[in-house]
Amino acid sequence: MIGMFKEKRIKKSLSDTVFGRNIVYMHVCDSTNELAKREVEMPHGTVFIADAQTNGKGRLGRTWESQKKSGIYMSVLIKDDIPLRDIAQLTLVAGVAVCRALGYDTRIKWPNDVVIGTRKVCGILTERTGDAIICGIGINVNTKEFPPHLKDIATSLLIESGEKHDRDYICALVLNEFEILYEQFKNGGFAEIYGQYFDLCVTLGHDVVAYRDGEEICGFACGISPEGGLIIDTEEGEVTVSSGEVSVRGMYGYI
Ligand code: BT5
């Protein structure tokens, strides 16, 4: 059924997991990440989900287009002892989880864009508030059309497959995969996920430019560091950039 999110339907497809055991659903909210921040007293694993966002947020002050009932806008509240420096890695873990859940030959444009071909189908924004971490995931599911400024860079499962998808079911699949990978990450660190991330990352092997505090770092994306940073081979040697501080573009296109 395509319509509003149904908590029961999401729960039906969930494994016996913590992520999503408690679901806070709203028709509309400003941003599920902001909602999670306001409701930070909720238990670990609570998932905040909305049919539409009026102020969907991307990284570095950007916006996330959040059309009504066409996408998944959800945030997972994580209350564990994750060191501050590992938050960026959690975004990478979530990216791998989304790829595993969606299939469709999804790949990752470093650090956090899940793409099909050269277009973005999902974005992830991880934030910290006090001791809690909020991992926000936006997935374009049944979006028919994007506004002009996104036409060339965004896609949806509907556009790619010609079919509408059940958002509740996809939500549950993503949460199941995320929790499995999260447990591995928590116990063994990013090393547990590194291989999968590396294999999924389409940025590698491309000429890229990273923008860091007004500075441009141009070079060949040649590797992922053990911490999840992107290693760029520049004229001055190798530079590793971390996801919290840069945005990256392909020199000859989006990837
Ligand atoms: C992201 O930022 O990709 C993180 C997006 C996170 C969205 C989720 S939805 C649930 C939770 N609540 C929130 O408020 N946010 C999270 P970034 O890497 O900065 O990419 C943002 C850029 O992606 C924009 O500047 C646009 O170019 C593009 N964009 C915006 N909306 C898009 C969409 N629906 N599909 C594809 N691309 C989009």
Side-chain angles (χ1 to χ4, degrees):
M1 192 195 73
I2 315 294
M4 287 185 318
F5 279 107
K6 293 275 186 298
E7 189 183 329
K8 271 196 192 139
R9 287 168 48 82
I10 297 175
K11 286 194 169 162
K12 202 177 77 189
S13 304
L14 280 176
S15 316
D16 187 20
T17 53
V18 177
F19 288 3
R21 192 173 289 166
N22 186 33
I23 294 178
V24 176
Y25 161 74
M26 296 191 72
H27 291 288
V28 185
C29 73
D30 50 350
S31 145
T32 54
N33 271 29
E34 292 303 315
L35 176 63
K37 284 183 200 167
R38 293 192 292 269
E39 303 288 340
V40 75
E41 296 311 319
M42 291 269 181
H44 169 67
T46 298
V47 173
F48 299 85
I49 185 158
D51 274 321
Q53 297 183 120
T54 53
N55 193 20
K57 300 193 312 172
R59 293 183 312 141
L60 308 166
R62 293 187 286 246
T63 56
W64 185 255
E65 171 77 19
S66 310
Q67 292 172 22
K68 201 173 166 189
K69 293 187 188 172
S70 69
I72 291 172
Y73 316 110
M74 69 174 172
S75 301
V76 184
L77 180 62
I78 296 174
K79 294 166 110 173
D80 259 341
D81 273 341
I82 304 283
L84 195 58
R85 63 167 197 281
D86 294 348
I87 292 186
Q89 296 175 353
L90 193 60
T91 304
L92 310 185
V93 173
V96 174
V98 170
C99 288
R100 283 172 42 149
L102 295 188
Y104 278 116
D105 207 19
T106 38
R107 294 276 191 271
I108 300 171
K109 173 178 172 285
W110 186 92
N112 67 326
D113 292 357
V114 176
V115 296
I116 301 178
T118 58
R119 296 202 164 112
K120 181 162 170 176
V121 69
C122 162
I124 298 158
L125 172 68
T126 310
E127 298 182 281
R128 187 178 190 106
T129 177
D131 287 338
I133 297 171
I134 291 153
C135 187
I137 300 175
I139 305 174
N140 303 322
V141 180
N142 295 322
T143 321
K144 285 196 188 106
E145 238 187 326
F146 290 95
H149 69 286
L150 293 178
K151 267 210 161 79
D152 293 337
I153 61 160
T155 191
S156 70
L157 298 183
L158 172 67
I159 292 170
E160 294 298 322
S161 67
E163 283 171 14
K164 282 201 169 186
H165 286 69
D166 182 334
R167 289 178 304 149
D168 298 319
Y169 181 59
I170 293 174
C171 255
L173 290 185
V174 171
L175 291 171
N176 288 341
E177 292 293 342
F178 190 21
E179 184 156 349
I180 293 169
L181 294 179
Y182 174 75
E183 287 301 321
Q184 292 173 1
F185 169 67
K186 203 175 76 180
N187 297 326
F190 185 63
E192 293 287 321
I193 317 293
Y194 183 91
Q196 292 182 62
Y197 187 85
F198 188 93
D199 288 346
L200 286 167
C201 184
V202 278
T203 308
L204 298 174
H206 285 88
D207 287 320
V208 296
V209 48
Y211 303 92
R212 179 163 66 184
D213 295 333
E215 172 204 13
E216 285 189 3
I217 302 164
C218 300
F220 182 72
C222 63
I224 302 289
S225 74
E227 295 76 32
L230 183 68
I231 306 172
I232 305 177
D233 190 12
T234 73
E235 280 178 0
E236 287 83 42
E238 284 188 357
V239 177
T240 301
V241 293
S242 82
S243 61
E245 54 172 14
V246 295
S247 73
V248 169
R249 284 280 173 272
M251 263 185 215
Y252 309 108
Y254 171 60
I255 288 177

